[in-house]
């Protein structure tokens, strides 16, 4: 038996029930420990494959899911803070939209910074800083005495939220390749739970209490993340890239112990597998431990400007340049569309008894926003719409691949949004928005699973963080399209943009050079080079 190789290959074309049977064979409570042999070299990926999916992975997925839930709660607040602040301070629509845009400005900067920090100083350090930052300024924004104080506080909340890619990278580096795509997409269920919880809290709190209570309550999940932070280990992949072989081995020993498995023996080395597809074949490169570590470590062991600039330059190396540009474009398209639809939910006028009425209930005499039940109901229903989109993404991502699944869901998003160019009944509007939110959530969740798979370990958090930043440009612009344009009578132009962007993106999925379904994660850029030997190809 080959060490770190699952010989019963999971065929993506076989029935889902059979796929789950094979996954349970290696993850279930009755699973038999893999045979352990003494090989000269073994990679972290092979070790994780041998240990298999178990209690440890469920724990790290739960923790990451809580982080996703906390992020979602802060983001869905954008649908409620703006109208509430508008009523309290008498804001024009431009300043109302700026509250949402300020969060995306903060995320834009934060994603760059936290991505670099986590690739230079470690995943744990990067995530701790982001959680503390977001929790503190989330609470502080609830006590904003003026509009400008709120704008600054929400910008700093966004700066903290920019580090969401750090915990995502940490989580995926502990998952076996055979089920990685499924679990990374499934993880977004917790995002939807956060969205629904935020909508329910708004429905309960805002009609009778201040928006400040809602903002304070929404920051509390970050406190839970800090309470359980000590349990989260550093990524063994990151430790290997930094040359801490013993540290990586100790983490893997803990993972094996928690999962009730034996730790394979042998010298740990960097990943041998390759993600570059050349003429529909996967090539791979064999590295000795010493050669790999010397090559990969490079300038990334140096902190400060030198190490950061080295990492940024490598994102635009010949092997990664096209991938980086495409990911920036796709994160922009997905964020622009997703958050635009979130905001559009409470902005679209509907047709009622042959009249066009707005779902904006205006302001009450005491300075609180109106209590139109229709707007809360619309946000809740369209947030629930994300669940079928996630189910569809989970069922297709490992069967048809990342590219095909994401392209089909983006196409569906554009088709659902297009009819909204004219006022429709409340039922028709909610139904179309339900379909659109379902598809864009499925597409976005696949993109979050796909993007970090395209980068090697030493660049993963930075690459994902920079892509996330590019997406926040879309998030920054969407409030002006969803709020400013709608309130100034440019409904057709607004809806056309939210329909056209995902349609173009669905076609552009064909440009991605790599399909990562079932492939193992690379540790260095060499793994991306075409023409390497395939003698060491690792089967899944």
């Amino acid at each position: 038996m080959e060490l770190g190789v699952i010989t019963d290959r999971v065929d993506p074309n076989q029935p889902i029930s059979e796929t789950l049977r094979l996954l349970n064979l290696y993850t279930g409570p009755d699973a038999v420990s893999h045979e352990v042999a003494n090989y000269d070299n073994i990679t972290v990926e092979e070790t994780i494959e041998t240990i298999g999916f178990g209690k440890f992975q469920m724990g790290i997925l739960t923790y990451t899911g809580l982080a996703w839930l906390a992020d979602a709660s802060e983001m869905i607040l954008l649908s409620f803070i703006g109208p509430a602040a508008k009523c309290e301070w008498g804001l024009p629509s431009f300043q109302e939209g700026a509250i949402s845009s300020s969060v995306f400005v903060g995320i834009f900067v934060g994603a760059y910074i936290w991505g670099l920090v986590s690739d230079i100083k470690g995943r744990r350090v990067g995530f701790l800083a982001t959680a503390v930052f977001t929790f503190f300024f989330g609470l502080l924004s609830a006590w904003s005495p003026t509009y400008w104080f709120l704008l600054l506080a929400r910008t700093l909340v966004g700066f903290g939220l920019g580090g969401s890619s750090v915990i995502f990278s940490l989580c995926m580096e502990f998952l076996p390749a055979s089920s990685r795509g499924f679990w990374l997409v499934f993880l977004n269920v917790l995002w939807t739970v956060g969205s629904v919880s935020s909508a329910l809290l708004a429905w309960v709190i805002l009609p009778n209490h201040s928006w400040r209570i809602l903002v304070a309550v929404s920051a509390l999940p970050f406190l839970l993340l800090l309470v359980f932070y000590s349990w989260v280990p550093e990524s063994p992949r990151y430790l290997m890239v930094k040359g801490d072989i013993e540290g990586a081995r100790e983490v893997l020993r803990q993972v094996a112990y928690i999962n009730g498995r034996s730790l394979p023996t042998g010298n740990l080395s960097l990943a041998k597998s390759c993600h570059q597809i050349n003429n529909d074949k996967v090539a791979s490169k064999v590295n000795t431990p010493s050669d790999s570590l010397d090559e990969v470590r490079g300038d990334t062991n140096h902190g400060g400007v030198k190490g950061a600039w080295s990492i940024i330059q490598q994102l635009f190396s010949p092997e990664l340049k096209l991938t980086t540009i495409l990911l920036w474009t796709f994160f922009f398209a997905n964020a622009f569309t997703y958050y635009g639809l979130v905001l559009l939910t409470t902005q679209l006028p509907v047709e009622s008894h042959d009249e066009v009425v707005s779902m904006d209930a205006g302001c009450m005499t005491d300075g609180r926003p109106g209590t139109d039940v229709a707007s809360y109901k619309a946000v809740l229903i369209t947030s629930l719409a994300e669940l079928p989109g996630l189910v569809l993404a989970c069922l297709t991502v490992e069967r048809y691949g990342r590219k095909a699944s994401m392209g089909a869901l983006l196409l569906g998003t554009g088709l659902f949004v297009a009819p909204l160019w004219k006022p429709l009944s409340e039922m028709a509007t909610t139904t179309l928005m339900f379909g659109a939110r379902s598809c864009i959530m499925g597409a976005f969740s696949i993109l979050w699973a796909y993007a970090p798979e395209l980068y090697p370990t030493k660049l993963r958090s930075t690459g994902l963080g920079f892509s996330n930043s590019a997406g926040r440009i879309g998030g920054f612009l969407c409030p002006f399209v969803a709020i400013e344009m709608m309130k100034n009578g440019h409904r057709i132009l607004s809806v056309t943009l939210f329909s056209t962007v995902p349609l173009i993106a669905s076609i552009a999925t064909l440009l991605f050079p790599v399909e990562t379904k079932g492939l193992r994660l690379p540790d260095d850029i060499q793994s991306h080079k075409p023409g390497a030997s395939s003698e060491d190809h690792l089967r899944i």
Side-chain angles (χ1 to χ4, degrees):
M1 177 179 180
E2 294 178 72
L3 184 61
V5 175
I6 299 177
T7 54
D8 287 337
R9 182 185 178 103
V10 178
D11 184 353
N13 296 316
Q14 66 188 356
I16 294 297
S17 59
E18 177 65 9
T19 299
L20 293 176
R21 184 191 71 79
L22 287 174
L23 288 178
N24 287 334
L25 178 65
Y26 296 100
T27 64
D30 299 325
V32 179
S33 295
H34 291 262
E35 178 184 345
V36 179
N38 186 4
Y39 278 64
D40 289 337
N41 300 322
I42 182 171
T43 67
V44 172
E45 183 102 37
E46 288 174 308
T47 304
I48 290 176
E49 284 288 344
T50 305
I51 294 171
F53 188 96
K55 293 180 181 179
F56 175 85
Q57 280 78 11
M58 289 303 299
I60 198 72
L61 281 167
T62 302
Y63 188 85
T64 306
L66 179 59
W68 235 225
L69 182 151
D71 280 11
S73 298
E74 289 290 344
M75 297 308 299
I76 299 301
L77 276 179
L78 301 180
S79 295
F80 304 107
I81 292 182
K86 170 189 174 183
C87 291
E88 179 166 332
W89 291 310
L91 305 176
S93 58
F94 178 83
Q95 287 186 314
E96 177 188 351
I99 295 174
S100 296
S101 294
S102 67
V103 177
F104 292 107
V105 170
I107 295 176
F108 176 81
V109 179
Y112 281 103
I113 301 300
W114 301 127
L116 286 169
V117 168
S118 66
D119 275 338
I120 295 174
K121 298 297 183 181
R123 312 316 195 208
R124 295 184 81 248
V125 173
F127 180 70
L128 175 63
T130 64
V132 170
F133 215 89
T134 308
F135 175 65
F136 177 77
F137 287 104
L139 284 179
L140 191 63
S141 61
W143 279 270
S144 300
T146 66
Y147 166 74
W148 294 108
F149 189 97
L150 175 64
L151 204 65
L152 176 61
R154 298 312 294 176
T155 301
L156 294 173
V157 167
F159 183 76
L161 290 174
S164 58
S165 59
V166 175
I167 189 64
F168 201 81
S169 295
L170 176 63
C171 177
M172 71 169 297
E173 290 173 355
F174 282 105
L175 296 176
S178 53
S179 57
R180 185 177 60 235
F182 171 84
W183 286 112
L184 289 178
V185 172
F186 183 80
L187 191 62
N188 287 277
V189 170
L190 274 298
W191 176 280
T192 300
V193 171
S195 300
V196 173
S197 300
S198 185
L200 286 173
L201 282 172
W203 200 343
V204 171
I205 294 173
L206 290 182
N208 301 305
H209 304 283
S210 170
W211 58 271
R212 299 171 187 275
I213 297 177
L214 177 63
V215 172
V217 170
S218 297
L220 294 180
F222 286 97
L223 180 60
L224 283 177
L225 291 173
L226 294 173
V227 169
F228 293 103
Y229 170 78
S230 60
W231 176 84
V232 180
E234 184 57 87
S235 165
R237 288 178 174 277
Y238 170 82
L239 293 173
M240 280 296 296
V241 167
K242 292 300 179 182
D244 187 1
I245 299 176
E246 287 306 312
R249 192 187 306 279
E250 180 58 31
V251 172
L252 292 170
R253 186 178 293 112
Q254 293 174 9
V255 174
Y257 176 78
I258 293 173
N259 285 3
R261 302 292 182 90
S262 299
L263 183 69
T265 59
N267 297 318
L268 279 180
S269 62
L270 294 174
K272 298 181 251 184
S273 64
C274 166
H275 285 191
Q276 180 66 41
I277 294 180
N278 187 25
N279 297 325
D280 297 325
K281 293 183 179 180
V282 179
S284 62
K285 181 178 185 295
V286 182
N287 293 319
T288 64
S290 58
D291 291 343
S292 294
L293 287 172
D294 289 341
E295 181 179 311
V296 173
R297 241 179 269 171
D299 290 344
T300 60
N301 270 345
H302 300 290
V305 176
K306 183 179 180 181
W309 180 242
S310 172
I311 291 175
I312 294 172
Q313 284 182 309
Q314 291 173 76
L315 293 179
F316 291 93
S317 64
E319 297 83 8
L320 293 175
K321 181 167 61 176
L322 176 60
T323 295
T324 296
I325 293 173
L326 283 172
L327 285 177
W328 288 17
T329 303
F330 270 77
F331 268 87
F332 173 91
N334 277 268
F336 175 82
T337 306
Y338 176 83
Y339 294 113
L341 293 180
V342 169
L343 295 173
L344 207 61
T345 302
T346 56
Q347 299 296 326
L348 276 175
V350 298
E351 193 177 58
S352 178
H353 303 296
D354 299 324
E355 294 182 351
V356 176
V357 297
S358 173
M359 296 179 74
D360 183 356
C363 302
M364 300 174 67
T365 55
D366 60 358
R368 290 186 291 115
T371 57
D372 182 17
V373 174
S375 61
Y376 295 119
K377 184 171 66 176
V379 172
L380 179 60
I381 291 175
T382 53
S383 294
L384 287 171
E386 296 179 357
L387 288 174
L390 289 170
V391 171
L392 186 59
C394 285
L395 293 176
T396 59
V397 68
E398 293 291 3
R399 187 177 182 88
Y400 301 107
R402 281 59 161 159
K403 295 168 62 176
S405 301
M406 183 167 59
L409 288 167
L410 286 169
L411 176 64
T413 303
L415 295 179
F416 274 117
V417 174
L420 294 171
W421 66 271
K422 64 177 181 179
L424 302 172
S425 67
E426 182 180 338
M427 174 67 73
T429 299
T430 302
T431 300
L432 289 170
M433 289 294 290
F434 186 99
R437 279 285 292 274
S438 181
C439 288
I440 192 60
M441 183 59 188
F444 215 165
S445 65
I446 292 174
L447 180 61
W448 270 98
Y450 186 35
E453 293 178 328
L454 294 171
Y455 285 115
T457 298
K458 67 172 183 176
L459 304 176
R460 187 163 295 126
S461 285
T462 301
L464 185 58
F466 276 41
S467 299
N468 191 19
S469 286
R472 303 314 149 173
I473 299 176
F476 172 81
L477 295 176
C478 74
F480 300 104
V481 178
I483 297 176
E484 186 72 9
M485 282 188 178
M486 290 296 298
K487 291 190 174 180
N488 288 326
H490 302 297
R491 177 185 182 126
I492 295 178
L493 178 57
S494 177
V495 171
T496 298
L497 287 171
F498 286 125
S499 176
T500 303
V501 169
L503 287 175
I504 294 174
S506 70
I507 299 172
T509 54
L510 299 173
L511 299 177
F512 277 105
V514 180
E515 170 57 63
T516 58
K517 180 184 69 173
L519 298 185
R520 295 186 176 179
L521 301 174
D523 282 325
D524 66 330
I525 295 180
Q526 294 299 317
S527 300
H528 287 262
K529 290 186 178 180
S533 170
S534 59
E535 64 186 43
D536 194 47
H537 174 52
L538 300 175
R539 291 173 291 144
I540 297 174

